Amino acid sequence: MTKNLVIVESPAKAKTIEKYLGKDYSVLSSVGHVRSIAKKTASKTPPVDVNNNFETTYEIDPEKRKVIAELKKAVKNSDEVWLATDDDREGEAIAWHLTEVLGLDAKKTKRIVFNEITKQAIEEAIKNPRTIDFNLVRAQQARQILDRLVGFELSPVVWQKVPGGKSAGRVQSPAVRLLVEREREIQQFESESSYKINATFLNDNNETINAEFNQKPTSEEDANNILTTIAENNFTVSDVKKTDGKRNPPAPFTTSTLQQTANNTLGFSARATMSSAQKLYQEGKITYMRTDSVHLSGQAINGIQSYINNNFGEKYSQVRQFKTKSANAQEAHEAIRPTDISASVASSNPYDQKLYTLIRNRTLASQMASAVTEKTTVTINGDNLPNNNYFEAKGEVIVFDGFLKVYGSKQDDTILPPISSGMALRFSEAIAKQVFSRPPARFTEGSLVKKLEELGIGRPSTYATILGNIQLRGYAEKGEGEGNEREIKQLTVSAENTTPALEIITEKTGDNKGKLLPTPSGELISAFLT
């Protein structure tokens, strides 16, 4: 006879929790959801009866029957049952479904939640049990019913009417439509060319100053004329503006921003990111990875502040509490952070470790001082240039690195040599390079997640699945092309050769490697649904 039976979602999590709770507790897993809305019912009543207050018929998933049988047996041999599924709407719904299939009293069965799998968090949860929150259960039911109503109504139509159409969905279909509409924008875009002029000047110490001309001529003839004028000019620094600036650290990660950043910086797909994060969470290395909150607990902030003070010095520490912008955010969780900020290594798997380092550095940065910068803008005029034409050189020096010590670029963007107003400069070289206006960028997984979030479509927990499904079902695919070469014109003058010299060079354009592209099937189904 077991005194206490704890039921969690994940088998990997079960082992870790059982280790913390000791011999009086047995921990088993439901292996995720155990029941779903039935695809059809024996009676004529639909699985979701829209005419009867959306009365819903559930059925045990066939692959979970063995799991349920084992859990029922364990419940009979236990004095107390604790439901420890995840602390979100899905987790609350799983807890309720377990009470239904295991014959437990939902209003009396102990429900515990925790945001991290650590001994302290588990013991604290055991001390403060509650019962099932039916508001959260109904919120999950409403979302799932909407999914099914859209999917069940639209998918059969798609199967019949669209060749190759496999399904439609409340989130999936808008995601495909975004890809299709962006592709149309790109196809309809008419590129225009102009000439970007950059020049190199030298001061009395032969130090280089690179500057950009403030006009972009649209024809080769105009570019030639401007270069000729530039080569025959004397140049003077007319103005030097220095402004103090600062860069503030970003907020700690939410599910969405973690997916976006991991995609942009590590090249991880949303699915790969969530898989690594899930493992780190189950091993007790990070807090719960499905969250749209940027909040950090007071205990976490104290630990982070102590670490920063001890390792970087007090001048690097600045306590911050961020607020979630999304009106739909669930604030029950914290942001994604390490459970132990002092641990720099969390996994022997290189992919999991890279993600952990990203999470850890972002968390540290969020509680560090702003970086202090000095920005310099230099205006350079020529004796014979029209009044509205000039060159501008920009530089920025990092005066105090602050959070950049652990997160972001530490390099100076451009360090300008000592320069003052009225200083004469020697012209060295100028290049007018033909440039083309660019169409809107294709979506990556990261930028599509950001767009869906901006539009209020989907939830942090579903983005990885949605992006995986639209590719699995053949509605979108990752691009592999590195672009096509095109010829561009480049004109050059120098102090020695004042007549512009024309050179034809090539550059790559249209690189779609790693970008999400709609397939013909995706375009067809999107047009049909629209």
Side-chain angles (χ1 to χ4, degrees), residues 39-92:
K39 288 184 170 59
K40 58 183 178 180
T41 60
S43 66
K44 291 183 179 180
T45 306
V48 178
D49 190 350
V50 295
N51 297 314
N52 188 24
N53 199 32
F54 295 93
E55 189 68 36
T56 307
T57 303
Y58 291 98
E59 63 182 7
I60 294 174
D61 297 335
E63 69 274 14
K64 293 299 173 65
R65 285 173 187 153
K66 185 179 177 183
V67 172
I68 294 299
E70 290 172 354
L71 289 174
K72 281 182 176 179
K73 185 177 177 181
V75 168
K76 284 182 182 177
N77 294 322
S78 304
D79 294 332
E80 187 88 69
V81 177
W82 305 70
L83 300 174
T85 48
D86 290 344
D87 183 19
D88 58 11
R89 290 184 294 205
E90 295 295 323
E92 207 72 20

Side-chain angles (χ1 to χ4, degrees), residues 143 147 168-176 179 259 270-271 445 448-449 452 457-473 475-476 516:
R143 185 196 65 77
D147 280 345
R170 182 177 63 89
V171 181
Q172 166 193 303
S173 298
V176 174
L179 297 179
Q259 289 176 7
R271 192 182 288 273
E445 285 201 3
L448 183 56
V449 164
L452 289 168
I457 299 172
R459 297 291 306 145
S461 57
T462 63
Y463 290 138
T465 304
I466 292 299
L467 293 179
N469 282 346
I470 63 175
Q471 293 172 72
L472 189 66
R473 288 167 184 167
Y475 298 153
L516 285 171

Side-chain angles (χ1 to χ4, degrees), residues 348-369:
S348 57
N349 180 300
Y351 292 98
D352 298 348
Q353 180 58 41
K354 281 181 181 178
L355 191 72
Y356 176 79
T357 300
L358 191 69
I359 293 167
R360 181 173 181 265
N361 288 349
R362 176 87 161 219
T363 306
L364 281 170
S366 75
Q367 300 304 310
M368 293 179 76

Side-chain angles (χ1 to χ4, degrees), residues 97-367:
H97 283 297
L98 285 170
T99 64
E100 292 282 299
V101 299
L102 299 177
L104 303 171
D105 187 339
K107 294 181 179 178
K108 293 181 181 178
T109 303
K110 290 181 177 177
R111 168 89 169 105
I112 57 171
V113 293
F114 37 83
N115 193 42
E116 58 188 64
I117 303 175
T118 58
K119 186 175 178 64
Q120 182 181 355
I122 303 300
E123 289 177 346
E124 191 65 27
I126 291 288
K127 290 176 189 174
N128 298 282
R130 59 172 173 82
T131 53
I132 289 173
D133 183 339
F134 282 93
N135 284 333
L136 282 178
V137 173
R138 284 187 282 269
Q140 189 275 344
Q141 286 179 307
R143 185 196 65 77
Q144 190 181 47
I145 287 167
L146 278 172
D147 280 345
R148 294 304 173 93
L149 287 176
V150 174
F152 281 13
E153 293 291 328
L154 281 184
S155 292
V157 180
V158 167
W159 300 335
Q160 293 170 17
K161 303 290 185 182
V162 183
K166 294 183 176 69
S167 66
R170 182 177 63 89
V171 181
Q172 166 193 303
S173 298
V176 174
R177 180 174 174 176
L178 286 170
L179 297 179
V180 170
E181 289 181 347
R182 178 59 55 88
E183 198 64 25
R184 284 183 188 150
E185 285 180 61
I186 292 169
Q187 290 169 359
Q188 294 168 5
F189 183 80
E190 294 184 8
S191 185
E192 296 178 349
S193 72
S194 59
Y195 287 82
K196 182 179 178 181
I197 301 174
N198 287 291
T200 304
F201 302 94
L202 301 172
N203 63 11
D204 290 341
N205 296 323
N206 283 328
E207 293 170 308
T208 300
I209 298 156
N210 296 312
E212 184 177 332
F213 198 57
N214 74 319
Q215 301 288 333
K216 285 184 179 178
T218 55
S219 70
E220 182 183 346
E221 182 182 358
D222 287 345
N224 257 310
N225 293 336
I226 291 171
L227 286 182
T228 301
T229 304
I230 289 169
E232 296 170 350
N233 254 267
N234 296 312
F235 291 91
T236 307
V237 175
S238 60
D239 189 31
V240 179
K241 286 183 181 175
K242 291 190 177 182
T243 55
D244 293 330
K246 69 176 183 178
R247 299 186 196 174
N248 295 320
F253 281 128
T254 61
T255 306
S256 168
T257 55
L258 178 62
Q259 289 176 7
Q260 293 169 42
T261 308
N263 183 248
N264 294 336
T265 62
L266 303 177
F268 285 13
S269 68
R271 192 182 288 273
T273 298
M274 293 310 291
S275 175
S276 279
Q278 177 95 28
K279 282 186 273 182
L280 291 168
Y281 169 64
Q282 289 173 177
E283 290 164 8
K285 304 300 183 184
I286 63 170
T287 53
Y288 192 51
M289 67 289 160
R290 292 192 179 98
T291 176
D292 42 21
S293 172
V294 290
H295 175 78
L296 292 176
S297 69
Q299 183 183 1
I301 288 176
N302 290 340
I304 296 164
Q305 188 181 18
S306 176
Y307 181 86
I308 293 169
N309 288 342
N310 293 336
N311 289 272
F312 305 116
E314 290 186 14
K315 67 178 181 178
Y316 280 93
S317 176
Q318 183 176 336
V319 173
R320 302 169 188 269
Q321 193 59 274
F322 295 86
K323 289 187 178 179
T324 305
K325 294 178 182 177
S326 172
N328 298 320
Q330 296 184 71
E331 295 287 9
H333 301 143
E334 284 187 78
I336 304 169
R337 62 165 176 82
T339 55
D340 178 7
I341 198 68
S342 65
S344 59
V345 178
S347 176
S348 57
N349 180 300
Y351 292 98
D352 298 348
Q353 180 58 41
K354 281 181 181 178
L355 191 72
Y356 176 79
T357 300
L358 191 69
I359 293 167
R360 181 173 181 265
N361 288 349
R362 176 87 161 219
T363 306
L364 281 170
S366 75
Q367 300 304 310

